[in-house]
Amino acid sequence: MSELEQAIPLSRPESRTVPAVRSRRLSLHRLKLREQLLAYLFLAPSLVLFGVFLFYPLLQSVYLSLHSTDPAGRIAGFIGFDNFAALLSSGLFLKGIKVTAMFTLLTVPAGILVSLVLAVLTRHLLRGKRVFQLIFSLPVVMAVGSAAVIWKFLFHPTLGMLNYLLELAGLPPVAWLINPDTALLSVSLMTVWMNLGFNYIMLSSGLLGIPEELYESARMDGAGGSTLLRRITLPLLSPTLFFVLVVSVIGAFQTFGQINILTAGGPIDSTNVFVYSIYREAFVNFRFGMGSAQALLLFVVILLLTLIQFKWVEKKVHYQ
């Protein structure tokens, strides 16, 4: 150090900036903490609703699945994983999953395909477009119970409209809900119609997001209708199709209302989907432990199916 520096001590710049930096960091930390508290304050009503109607029932199901209940539905004792072992060894789980998987295969692809065809046909409809859109969207406003009652009259073996139309066509009547071979197909037909409104609205909205200039450019290059569908419509509509697929699969595995009203799981358990089996075990036989174990297994199955769809099916989705 030189004599001049010793005679006139100079203050270091960093010594003055350290307190300012610390003060700035403290203020930023307080601001961030205040924003987080404000965010949680706005989220509090939703978190309370989720806690009361989602998390608490989930924890209660876990608790009940580890206990046995008496005929009145009261807790009898802790049995661990015996409910799960009995459920898997009895074949009830596999049978319910098999019926539910068949129901899903009958409803999800058909529902998406019919809705896609209707959405594509009404996209370029010039006259009466709003009327057709209203008609195709009507099922979304109907309750499951009301729709099931209407279709129960349509499926009536002697007074139903469907068998009446078959007789007019010279065909024999069908025991829609009575025959085990046709019961699941009949309920699936009603479910496809009931889900038509939601699927149609979602796919129509997705089609509106596709620029018309792409179709005009492709037509100028000589592309036909099938080429436009394969090269433009389906790739650009794939995010909406993927969303509808995931929601439809989850909804199919949670189906209950139409099964309860139309067939009550019969005949011969041909329509005994997994959710109806849970209802029967818990609220008919008052075996809440077994019903809770089934509900948890169904949750695991739906979670795995959703993860599989996001892992493999989403690879075919074009987000740009």
Side-chain angles (χ1 to χ4, degrees), residues 107-181:
T107 56
V108 173
I112 295 178
L113 180 60
V114 173
S115 303
L116 178 61
V117 171
L118 294 177
V120 172
L121 291 178
T122 56
R123 172 183 169 86
H124 300 288
L125 194 63
L126 299 179
R127 302 181 60 180
K129 179 178 181 179
R130 299 297 181 184
V131 176
F132 282 101
Q133 289 178 341
L134 176 63
I135 294 174
F136 297 147
S137 304
L138 278 179
V140 78
V141 302
M142 293 193 66
V144 178
S146 302
V149 170
I150 294 174
W151 278 86
K152 192 169 186 177
F153 282 105
L154 295 176
F155 286 134
H156 196 278
T158 57
L159 303 177
M161 180 62 69
L162 296 180
N163 279 342
Y164 175 73
L165 295 176
L166 290 178
E167 291 179 0
L168 291 180
L171 300 175
V174 177
W176 297 97
L177 302 176
I178 303 175
N179 189 348
D181 297 330

Side-chain angles (χ1 to χ4, degrees), residues 189-266:
L189 178 63
M190 177 258 172
T191 305
V192 169
W193 174 84
M194 189 180 65
N195 296 334
L196 179 64
F198 174 79
N199 293 343
Y200 175 78
I201 292 174
M202 296 304 301
L203 295 177
S204 296
S205 302
L207 287 175
L208 292 177
I210 301 177
E212 189 66 29
E213 293 79 7
L214 295 178
Y215 291 103
E216 295 177 357
S217 300
R219 292 191 188 97
M220 292 177 62
D221 293 336
S226 60
T227 305
L228 295 177
L229 180 64
R230 289 185 293 106
R231 300 297 184 181
I232 298 179
T233 303
L234 292 181
L236 296 181
L237 194 62
S238 57
T240 307
L241 287 171
F242 178 69
F243 170 76
V244 172
L245 174 64
V246 173
V247 173
S248 299
V249 171
I250 294 176
F253 270 80
Q254 295 178 338
T255 298
F256 170 76
Q258 56 267 47
I259 299 294
N260 184 36
I261 295 175
L262 294 177
T263 62

